Amino acid sequence: MNQTLHERLHLTLELQRSAFRAEMSPSMAVRQDRLQRLRAMTAKYSDALVAAIASDFGHRAVQETLLADIFTVESGVKHAQKHLKDWMRTRRMPTALHYLPASNQLMRQPLGVVGIVSPWNYPYYLAMAPALAALAAGNRVMIKPSELTPATSALMAQIVAEFFKPEEMQVITGDADVGRAFTQLPFDHLFFTGSTAVGRHVAQAAAQNLTPVTLELGGKSPALIDRSCNLKLTAERLAYGKLLNAGQTCVAPDYLLVPQEMVEPLAQEIIGAMQRMYPTLEGNPDYSSIAAERHLTRLQGLLSDAKARGASLLPTHQETLSGRKLTPHLLLDVNDEMAVMREEIFGPLLPIVGYSRTEEALDYINKHERPLALYWFGEDALAQQHAMAHTHAGGVTINDCIWHLGQEDQPFGGVGASGMGSYHGEWGFRTFSKEKPIFSQARFAGTKLFYPPYGKTFALLLKLLKKIV
């Protein structure tokens, strides 16, 4: 490893560690001030962030950045500011009868220095959403953003340095080597958002230091279409969920499970909905580009592989596109031998798998790795309850896509290969806190009766305890 890089990272970590040791329990006023500065920074530089993200992507719809990168951070900060006093409160906890008159409390304390590794697809939100939770919990923060969004990463480093002292929060830019060295630091908590493959390496690096990790990964998130659904409404919502950010969203619907007799009608409705939302693609400011040339090449490879293996490709538009824009495609007659059905797509391609019986569809979901998101469309309440009880997923939206991610009063996180741990709202505060149990013994305590020398009294008391607990 480059020694200069090693020293730089460790000096930054030690700077923040020293500052934390000098202020291990920041007051609510201090935390509110840090959150307010994050909010002010976001507001001041929202236009610059929009421009930087558009530059990195080649083209990114302004409205998508304003909604998914800017508003999400602002709303998350406001929610934290509103609830911070309650989150910080030391809670009185129940005490079992046989320990009275002692008492229990639960104190939430900051962990120390939190490392955040953020991805390229929503580069500001996915860096600052965990950061705001860590700051609210009273921690210091180091962020390593993606090297695939260099303009945005450089801007984040600049604006964070303007609004925060380096011992409070700092952005470390650099390539994949910097990222690897970053994950090897002995943080008090490491938060990673990205692919499952890279997440495995991050977890292994953190394990060398026994650093606890939160992994926000991905996977193939299915949309299960029930026969009771409203076909037109379902198609419209699937079209939006799939083409937001040109499909480059960790919770985008990755494939559809559709009753066999509804495959063709639904496919046509989805194509129609996509065409209404995006009448053209070339030159349309609402339709985003693929963020990097290698991702465009990968997606084109998925289409070629699927076609070669017998899939029917249904392009939504008949246009020749320039730059890194990619025509959305629906894919019929797919199977698990195709790469598009084995890899997370992360683009505007939507395979449709037909099924005959609901149990067949549930079995298909359950025999694959557990997804980050699951979508269910229909009006049959019993069928909905059955699907929820017989599947696992990080989170669920019923009769729509993606919107469970925006709920600050619900945890967001994966399960199995799609991640571990959660954040958003109070769950983020708790992720970056140590919930320390405190047992306070009374001056006169019955526990003295259990002291040695042991004899008949001990046996009688233990027998009594077994009856009252």
Side-chain angles (χ1 to χ4, degrees):
M1 187 191 300
N2 184 303
Q3 191 64 29
T4 304
L5 169 61
H6 184 274
E7 289 177 351
R8 174 193 171 203
L9 291 174
H10 277 269
L11 284 171
T12 302
L13 177 61
E14 187 50 43
L15 173 71
Q16 294 202 351
R17 276 250 170 89
S18 297
F20 177 76
R21 286 194 294 267
E23 188 184 24
M24 292 183 64
S25 184
S27 67
M28 186 171 71
V30 167
R31 302 185 200 197
Q32 287 282 15
D33 173 65
R34 291 171 182 167
L35 289 172
Q36 186 58 37
R37 278 185 275 146
L38 177 53
R39 186 171 167 183
M41 179 180 80
T42 304
K44 179 178 178 180
Y45 285 101
S46 62
D47 290 343
L49 287 162
V50 167
I53 294 172
S55 171
D56 285 327
F57 270 67
H59 175 73
R60 183 42 152 21
V62 171
Q63 294 82 355
E64 290 181 351
T65 299
L66 289 174
L67 175 65
D69 274 286
I70 306 301
F71 169 76
T72 47
V73 173
E74 291 175 332
S75 63
V77 172
K78 289 179 184 178
H79 183 84
Q81 288 178 309
K82 180 180 179 182
H83 296 281
L84 186 60
K85 182 178 180 180
D86 180 60
W87 295 350
M88 290 178 63
R89 178 174 55 86
T90 296
R91 286 154 169 76
R92 187 175 181 87
M93 305 300 286
T95 306
L97 175 66
H98 49 285
Y99 286 110
L100 295 176
S103 62
N104 279 314
Q105 289 180 307
L106 192 64
M107 174 186 286
R108 292 175 171 176
Q109 290 184 297
L111 296 172
V113 180
V114 169
I116 296 170
V117 181
S118 58
W120 53 265
N121 58 324
Y122 293 97
Y124 189 67
Y125 170 60
L126 292 176
M128 293 303 159
L132 76 87
L135 292 172
N139 298 282
R140 311 291 169 138
V141 179
M142 292 170 61
I143 301 171
K144 168 58 180 78
S146 174
E147 65 274 13
L148 296 181
T149 49
T152 308
S153 297
L155 178 60
M156 283 198 293
Q158 171 198 323
I159 66 179
V160 166
E162 177 183 334
F163 278 81
F164 292 89
K165 297 175 184 177
E167 61 266 29
E168 289 180 307
M169 182 160 70
Q170 195 169 154
V171 175
I172 309 292
T173 59
D175 60 14
D177 288 337
V178 177
R180 278 189 288 272
F182 188 90
T183 62
Q184 293 167 6
L185 292 172
F187 291 111
D188 297 293
H189 195 100
L190 181 59
F191 190 102
F192 171 80
T193 304
S195 72
T196 299
V198 177
R200 295 182 198 278
H201 294 292
V202 171
Q204 290 171 359
Q208 299 304 308
N209 298 308
L210 294 181
T211 298
V213 294
T214 298
L215 300 176
E216 294 295 342
L217 308 177
K220 299 188 71 63
S221 297
L224 176 54
I225 315 303
D226 188 70
R227 287 182 170 86
S228 63
C229 78
N230 179 311
L231 202 66
K232 190 176 185 65
L233 184 66
T234 297
E236 183 177 60
R237 292 177 176 178
L238 286 168
Y240 174 78
K242 187 60 185 181
L243 296 190
L244 175 70
N245 200 28
Q248 299 164 107
T249 304
C250 60
V251 290
D254 199 273
Y255 66 95
L256 310 185
L257 287 162
V258 181
Q260 197 67 56
E261 71 277 10
M262 296 171 64
V263 168
E264 286 286 350
L266 181 61
Q268 293 306 314
E269 287 285 358
I270 292 173
I271 291 173
M274 289 181 172
Q275 290 174 344
R276 288 191 296 274
M277 291 178 189
Y278 304 94
T280 62
L281 302 177
E282 180 70 15
N284 186 341
D286 295 340
Y287 188 62
S288 295
S289 297
I290 304 304
E293 192 65 37
R294 66 183 177 92
H295 289 300
L296 178 63
T297 301
R298 179 184 61 82
L299 290 164
Q300 291 169 334
L302 293 180
L303 281 173
S304 298
D305 174 77
K307 185 176 181 180
R309 295 178 185 274
S312 302
L313 309 187
L314 304 179
T316 59
H317 297 70
Q318 302 299 323
E319 294 181 53
T320 301
L321 302 183
S322 60
R324 291 197 301 270
K325 286 192 173 182
L326 179 64
T327 300
H329 282 72
L330 274 58
L331 291 80
L332 308 186
D333 306 312
V334 294
N335 60 62
D336 282 1
E337 292 183 1
M338 300 172 184
V340 76
M341 292 304 296
R342 290 185 278 107
E343 301 174 14
E344 184 177 8
I345 295 172
F346 234 70
L349 314 181
L350 186 58
I352 302 179
V353 179
Y355 70 86
S356 299
R357 298 177 300 104
T358 299
E359 293 306 320
E360 193 183 311
L362 296 177
D363 286 344
Y364 186 88
I365 294 171
N366 290 328
K367 76 178 182 181
H368 292 83
E369 290 183 330
R370 292 172 175 176
L372 182 58
L374 171 68
Y375 303 113
W376 188 90
F377 288 85
E379 303 299 328
D380 185 332
L382 289 177
Q384 175 194 314
Q385 292 168 15
H386 182 76
M388 294 303 98
H390 291 84
T391 53
H392 281 92
V396 175
T397 294
I398 301 293
N399 285 320
D400 213 333
C401 297
I402 294 178
W403 296 110
H404 67 281
L405 185 149
Q407 308 309 307
E408 291 293 334
D409 291 303
Q410 289 267 55
F412 177 81
V415 58
S418 62
M420 63 176 72
S422 60
Y423 73 126
H424 288 194
E426 187 173 4
W427 285 268
F429 184 95
R430 295 178 67 180
T431 287
F432 298 118
S433 299
K434 165 56 183 173
E435 295 186 313
K436 184 166 71 178
I438 301 171
F439 176 78
S440 298
Q441 185 62 282
R443 181 173 182 179
F444 299 103
T447 50
K448 185 177 180 180
L449 297 172
F450 289 94
Y451 293 178
Y454 302 120
K456 291 183 178 179
T457 302
F458 180 93
L460 287 170
L461 287 172
L462 186 59
K463 185 177 181 180
L464 177 62
L465 276 180
K466 288 181 178 180
K467 290 182 177 180
I468 65 174
V469 295

